[in-house]
């Protein structure tokens, strides 16, 4: 995973308004917006499908069993290699004590291979459940994944990152980061689905919403 570490460090050194990356990202987001990417994802007031995915230890888990009659926050991320995801995960780590005290549970879904789920589990202090969405199957079924496009894929490769190494597939698919608050009955109470991966749900606000259920 040395390549992804180098990319992460490179992107972290760049300012948020770096014209080169900003333009590439803007074109990518504009294409997803035009395609209405994410519009078919589960929305507020609907039941969230009972996904069954392996956790970071390789044991299959179902969302219904993990929820076990208590609220859950479910977050789909691109991976620890992405600085925007890393920033979100750092915030979730800070919110874990408040989430646990409120009786909730955090479940993170990621498509990374080669120990990616293990690293996210460790980053979160071992208090969250991390599920492995190999080949982005669950994200695709939920309308939470789309092809990255030749422009972005080429830019990543030039920066030292090949998504084939990250996800174990040459499909070029990237998940759309999304966060859902699911109540004890399995209904979606909050949904944050944003094709612009630079914008994320506020973990603190999500925990506050959970305490109000």
């Amino acid at each position: 995973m040395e390549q992804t570490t180098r990319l992460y460090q490179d992107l972290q050194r760049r300012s948020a308004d770096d014209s080169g990356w900003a333009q590439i990202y803007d074109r990518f987001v504009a294409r997803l917006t035009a395609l209405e990417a994410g519009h078919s994802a589960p929305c507020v007031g609907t039941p969230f499908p009972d996904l069954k995915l392996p956790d970071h230890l390789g044991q299959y888990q179902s969302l219904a069993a993990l929820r076990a009659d208590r609220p859950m926050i479910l977050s789909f991320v691109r991976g620890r290699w992405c600085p925007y995801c890393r920033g979100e995960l750092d915030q979730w780590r800070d919110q874990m004590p408040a989430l646990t005290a409120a009786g909730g549970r955090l479940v993170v879904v990621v498509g990374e291979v080669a120990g990616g789920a293990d690293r996210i589990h460790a980053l979160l202090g071992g208090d969250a459940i991390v599920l492995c969405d190999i080949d982005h199957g669950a994200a695709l079924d939920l309308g939470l994944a789309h092809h990255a496009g030749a422009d972005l894929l080429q830019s990543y490769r030039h920066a030292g990152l090949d998504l084939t190494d990250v996800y174990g597939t040459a499909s070029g698919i990237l998940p759309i980061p999304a966060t859902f608050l699911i109540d004890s009955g399995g209904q979606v109470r909050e949904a944050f689905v944003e094709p612009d991966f630079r914008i994320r749900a506020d973990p603190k606000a999500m925990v506050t919403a959970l305490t109000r259920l």
Side-chain angles (χ1 to χ4, degrees), residues 1-15 21 25 78-91 93 112 119-120 123 155-163 166 197 200:
M1 300 300 289
E2 181 181 353
Q3 290 179 323
T4 61
T5 300
R6 288 203 307 270
L7 177 69
Y8 172 75
Q9 293 171 343
D10 179 51
L11 294 181
Q12 286 292 80
R13 285 195 295 268
R14 298 169 183 263
S15 63
W21 283 104
Y25 291 159
R78 303 191 327 160
R80 187 175 175 273
W81 64 271
C82 170
Y84 301 97
C85 290
R86 179 60 182 265
E88 178 187 348
L89 292 168
D90 285 343
Q91 291 184 54
R93 181 187 58 211
E112 277 189 294
R119 285 185 285 273
I120 290 176
L123 176 66
S155 298
Y156 278 153
R157 283 194 293 268
H158 286 169
L161 171 73
D162 189 339
L163 291 184
V166 176
F197 61 91
R200 304 298 175 96

Side-chain angles (χ1 to χ4, degrees), residues 174-192:
L174 273 174
I176 298 172
T179 305
F180 303 90
L181 171 57
I182 304 170
D183 67 20
S184 59
Q187 297 289 311
V188 178
R189 302 296 291 272
E190 299 281 347
F192 188 95

Side-chain angles (χ1 to χ4, degrees), residues 91-165:
Q91 291 184 54
W92 275 120
R93 181 187 58 211
D94 294 341
Q95 291 300 315
M96 288 304 297
L99 178 60
T100 301
R105 165 170 277 171
L106 174 64
V107 177
V108 175
V109 180
V110 64
E112 277 189 294
V113 296
D118 290 312
R119 285 185 285 273
I120 290 176
H121 186 261
L123 176 66
L124 292 169
D127 294 325
I129 302 296
V130 181
L131 301 180
C132 307
D133 187 19
I134 305 302
D135 292 337
H136 310 294
L140 285 166
D141 286 346
L142 295 170
L144 290 174
H146 216 279
H147 195 272
D151 185 21
L152 184 58
L153 290 175
Q154 183 178 26
S155 298
Y156 278 153
R157 283 194 293 268
H158 286 169
L161 171 73
D162 189 339
L163 291 184
T164 301
D165 296 331

Side-chain angles (χ1 to χ4, degrees), residues 31-110:
R31 180 169 63 85
L32 293 192
T33 301
L35 293 171
E36 298 187 341
H39 281 212
S40 61
C43 58
V44 173
T46 64
F48 200 95
D50 182 22
L51 302 180
K52 294 180 176 64
L53 295 170
D55 62 18
H56 74 290
L57 297 175
Q59 300 176 340
Y60 272 83
Q61 307 276 3
S62 75
L63 290 188
L66 290 174
R67 194 176 65 248
D69 297 324
R70 63 172 172 164
M72 166 191 294
I73 293 175
L74 180 66
S75 179
F76 285 78
V77 299
R78 303 191 327 160
R80 187 175 175 273
W81 64 271
C82 170
Y84 301 97
C85 290
R86 179 60 182 265
E88 178 187 348
L89 292 168
D90 285 343
Q91 291 184 54
W92 275 120
R93 181 187 58 211
D94 294 341
Q95 291 300 315
M96 288 304 297
L99 178 60
T100 301
R105 165 170 277 171
L106 174 64
V107 177
V108 175
V109 180
V110 64

